[in-house]
């Protein structure tokens, strides 16, 4: 009963926040109207650079100083003893989309005679080969000393940069920041600074709401304060803490349900998928999923696979896999082991990549022609991503839609007429 009272109070706060948002037209957002919410260059890099420029149309240098103080200095604190905190009274010029000879384009550069700050802005784009290394070398070619080069890798949640992208840079050569924490907190400070100028304040508020929408944090400051006040009442803080200790157990159980239900629905649609590790070997489902949430993070690559057919001496399999996101694609294997597909499968890979479907990547070492994410992406390590599947009815709808997309993809590949589908075997195997 006490837990029910807490949930009912939270529901009232949520309803009040929803009604207020509707009544005050918070849905109106000039950024969303003019651009896609996730447009890196034309929206986010351009607007961030405008805020960071001391000669920007806002006419304020405070935004840059706050960024140096609250983002750059904090991100590089304790990274390298040779680096001293940047002085807030040394202004930086700011440019966006800066072309660097043989190094591509840098999203945002702040620089003065002594220091240079590079911001690599990643929202949906893939990492590029040795991208941060190339930017670092470009800064060195501009005669900046290593201790005066500050490279920031910005993405939605602060996900780590890949080895592929950082190249030979040491971890102390760059820092990772996020929209969810670093940019959001900086914007909150900028909004306070802009209060004497309502036109600037309201523009920042709209962009701050867009960042919240982008990262899944749509709670208003008023709603957060209501939550805080609720936790002060009676034993609510104790109850909330007790519930929080069961969150990981719930996530483990939820992920188990999702994989099992995916397999069941796919089997009804004619495809018998088996739970396996990244090497397509049957494995202990319970152990794999439990390990996913351990702090040391052992291999987080596993999923379900089904043989679709063969081409020459290779099996062609559909593999639905999890790493950070759930994604799916076609992979080749021989004698039950996945392989980097040989040149003899290039035509199949090209044809799959040319299908009229939203292929999101092209990894020669893995997916034939690229891989796909569900229309409603899922990230098991992001709590808010799980909202859409926590409820039984919502999860059933997600599974129905996603399995339709997977089956449609499989049928599209089969329709190319390049693989021998008669060789496919849908023999079921038991996993522990």
């Amino acid at each position: 009963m006490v837990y029910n009272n807490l949930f009912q109070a939270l529901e009232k706060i949520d309803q009040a926040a929803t009604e207020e948002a509707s009544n005050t037209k918070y849905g109106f957002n000039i950024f969303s109207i003019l651009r896609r919410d996730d447009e890196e260059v034309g929206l986010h890099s351009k607007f961030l650079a405008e805020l960071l420029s001391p000669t920007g149309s806002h006419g304020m240098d405070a935004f840059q100083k706050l960024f140096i103080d609250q983002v750059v200095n904090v991100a590089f604190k304790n990274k390298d003893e040779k680096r001293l905190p940047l002085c807030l009274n040394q202004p930086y010029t700011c440019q966006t989309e800066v072309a660097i000879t043989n190094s591509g384009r840098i999203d945002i550069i702040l620089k003065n005679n002594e220091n240079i700050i590079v911001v690599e802005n990643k929202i949906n784009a893939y990492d590029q080969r040795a991208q941060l290394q190339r930017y670092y070398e470009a800064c060195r070619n501009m005669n900046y000393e290593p201790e005066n080069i500050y490279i920031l890798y910005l993405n939605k949640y602060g996900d780590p940069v890949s080895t592929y992208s950082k190249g030979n840079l040491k971890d102390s050569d760059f820092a990772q920041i996020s929209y969810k924490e670093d940019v959001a907190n900086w914007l909150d400070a900028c909004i306070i600074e802009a209060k004497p100028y309502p036109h600037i304040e309201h523009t920042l508020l709209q962009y701050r709401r867009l960042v919240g929408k982008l990262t899944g944090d749509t709670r208003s400051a008023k709603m957060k304060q209501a939550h805080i006040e609720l936790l002060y009442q009676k034993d609510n803080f104790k109850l909330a803490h007790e519930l929080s200790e069961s969150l990981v157990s719930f996530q483990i159980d939820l992920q188990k349900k999702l994989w099992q239900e995916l397999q069941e629905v796919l089997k009804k649609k004619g495809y018998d998928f088996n739970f396996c590790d990244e090497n397509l070997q049957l494995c202990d489902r319970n152990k794999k999923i439990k390990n996913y949430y351990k702090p040391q993070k052992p291999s987080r690559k596993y999923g379900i696979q089904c043989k679709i057919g063969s081409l020459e001496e290779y099996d062609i399999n559909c593999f639905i896999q999890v790493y950070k996101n759930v994604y799916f694609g076609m992979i080749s294997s021989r004698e039950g082991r996945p392989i980097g597909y040989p040149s003899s499968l290039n035509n199949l890979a090209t044809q799959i990549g040319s299908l009229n479907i939203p292929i999101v990547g092209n990894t020669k070492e893995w997916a034939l022609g690229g891989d796909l994410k569900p229309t409603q992406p899922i990230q098991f390590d992001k709590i808010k991503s799980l909202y859409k599947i926590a409820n039984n009815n919502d999860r059933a709808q997600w599974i129905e839609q996603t399995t339709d997309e997977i089956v449609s993809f499989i049928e599209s590949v089969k329709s190319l007429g390049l693989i021998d589908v008669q060789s496919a075997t849908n023999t079921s195997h038991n996993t522990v």
Side-chain angles (χ1 to χ4, degrees):
M1 178 64 72
V2 287
Y3 285 106
N4 286 339
N5 292 337
L6 176 60
F7 286 134
Q8 288 171 3
L10 286 169
E11 187 176 6
K12 287 181 180 179
I13 292 172
D14 183 62
Q15 288 175 346
T18 301
E19 291 172 3
E20 179 179 297
S22 175
N23 291 338
T24 54
K25 306 296 186 299
Y26 280 153
F28 180 86
N29 192 301
I30 192 65
F31 296 99
S32 295
I33 293 170
L34 297 178
R35 297 281 186 177
R36 290 196 331 268
D37 290 350
D38 60 353
E39 189 170 334
E40 292 172 5
V41 177
L43 195 165
H44 292 282
S45 290
K46 192 170 183 178
F47 187 71
L48 292 174
E50 180 69 13
L51 292 182
L52 290 170
S53 174
T55 60
S57 56
H58 48 76
M60 302 175 68
D61 62 1
F63 300 155
Q64 184 183 105
K65 290 180 178 179
L66 287 168
F67 185 79
I68 300 295
D69 183 41
Q70 298 186 8
V71 180
V72 183
N73 283 343
V74 170
F76 279 93
K77 186 177 181 181
N78 301 324
K79 276 276 185 180
D80 186 340
E81 62 182 13
K82 293 181 181 179
R83 294 181 188 270
L84 298 174
L86 293 173
C87 176
L88 306 185
N89 295 320
Q90 294 180 352
Y92 292 76
T93 62
C94 183
Q95 297 172 281
T96 185
E97 280 295 287
V98 180
I100 303 296
T101 304
N102 301 321
S103 298
R105 290 180 177 272
I106 298 178
D107 293 323
I108 301 172
I109 287 182
L110 295 98
K111 63 179 181 178
N112 56 28
N113 291 333
E114 185 177 356
N115 302 301
I116 185 167
I117 302 167
V118 169
V119 181
E120 173 55 26
N121 185 19
K122 294 284 188 189
I123 295 179
N124 291 324
Y126 281 85
D127 285 349
Q128 298 177 27
R129 183 186 61 80
Q131 190 171 23
L132 299 191
Q133 176 189 329
R134 287 184 281 116
Y135 294 167
Y136 181 88
E137 290 169 352
C139 294
R140 292 290 287 128
N141 290 336
M142 288 186 264
N143 297 319
Y144 286 98
E145 295 299 321
E147 63 269 24
N148 300 118
I149 300 171
Y150 296 78
I151 297 179
L152 295 169
Y153 181 82
L154 168 64
N155 57 34
K156 285 192 282 189
Y157 305 109
D159 294 333
V161 60
S162 65
T163 302
Y164 178 73
S165 181
K166 73 179 181 182
N168 62 13
L169 290 191
K170 304 187 298 292
D171 287 344
S172 58
D173 291 330
F174 65 92
Q176 295 162 203
I177 58 174
S178 71
Y179 276 95
K180 184 175 177 62
E181 298 292 338
D182 303 283
V183 171
N185 292 337
W186 168 61
L187 288 171
D188 288 340
C190 291
I191 289 167
I192 294 173
E193 194 70 29
K195 275 196 175 296
Y197 314 99
H199 62 296
I200 300 176
E201 179 192 13
H202 291 306
T203 302
L204 289 172
L205 282 168
Q206 287 197 42
Y207 184 68
R208 175 63 178 87
R209 282 196 286 272
L210 178 64
V211 168
K213 180 181 176 183
L214 191 70
T215 59
D217 184 9
T218 55
R219 297 176 304 159
S220 67
K222 184 175 181 180
M223 183 179 181
K224 292 177 184 178
Q225 186 59 39
H227 287 163
I228 292 170
E229 292 173 1
L230 178 64
L231 290 175
Y232 275 111
Q233 298 174 21
K234 300 180 181 179
D235 291 328
N236 286 347
F237 175 68
K238 176 176 175 287
L239 295 173
H241 179 257
E242 289 174 350
L243 280 172
S244 71
E245 292 184 321
S246 299
L247 277 179
V248 172
S249 297
F250 174 79
Q251 291 175 74
I252 292 171
D253 192 71
L254 178 61
Q255 191 179 152
K256 288 179 185 177
K257 286 181 184 293
L258 189 76
W259 287 117
Q260 182 176 348
E261 292 167 8
L262 266 175
Q263 286 177 270
E264 291 170 354
V265 174
L266 283 165
K267 189 170 184 177
K268 290 178 182 178
K269 296 181 178 182
Y271 293 95
D272 195 359
F273 279 75
N274 305 307
F275 194 89
C276 61
D277 61 21
E278 61 184 312
N279 294 314
L280 303 186
Q281 303 302 298
L282 298 182
C283 62
D284 187 328
R285 181 203 311 268
N286 293 337
K287 184 177 180 180
K288 273 289 182 183
I289 294 174
K290 188 176 292 185
N291 284 345
Y292 185 91
Y293 297 96
K294 287 186 176 179
Q296 62 268 31
K297 295 181 181 178
S299 175
R300 304 178 85 184
K301 293 183 179 180
Y302 54 82
I304 56 177
Q305 71 88 20
C306 177
K307 180 180 174 182
I308 304 304
S310 65
L311 180 59
E312 300 180 355
E313 70 268 37
Y314 305 102
D315 290 334
I316 308 301
N317 315 272
C318 181
F319 191 18
I320 308 166
Q321 184 178 225
V322 63
Y323 178 49
K324 293 177 182 176
N325 297 281
V326 172
Y327 58 96
F328 58 95
M330 292 292 173
I331 63 172
S332 56
S333 65
R334 186 165 56 189
E335 298 178 355
R337 295 283 180 175
I339 59 171
Y341 63 84
S343 58
S344 59
L345 298 184
N346 280 346
N347 183 46
L348 175 60
T350 300
Q351 293 296 319
I352 292 174
S354 300
L355 291 171
N356 187 26
I357 49 180
I359 296 285
V360 297
N362 190 347
T363 309
K364 183 170 176 60
E365 301 82 30
W366 194 244
L368 287 155
D371 51 55
L372 302 89
K373 291 180 185 177
T375 299
Q376 297 185 62
I378 290 292
Q379 285 184 268
F380 288 121
D381 60 348
K382 305 296 182 187
I383 291 287
K384 290 186 178 180
S385 178
L386 304 181
Y387 291 176
K388 63 175 73 77
I389 59 171
N391 175 275
N392 288 338
N393 290 334
D394 292 342
R395 187 170 63 258
Q397 291 178 11
W398 185 89
I399 288 173
E400 185 64 28
Q401 178 182 355
T402 302
T403 52
D404 279 347
E405 293 171 6
I406 293 167
V407 169
S408 176
F409 171 62
I410 293 172
E411 295 298 325
S412 295
V413 172
K414 289 164 62 176
S415 70
L416 294 172
L418 298 175
I419 63 175
D420 176 13
V421 296
Q422 298 300 319
S423 66
T425 56
N426 286 333
T427 312
S428 91
H429 299 274
N430 292 323
T431 55
V432 192

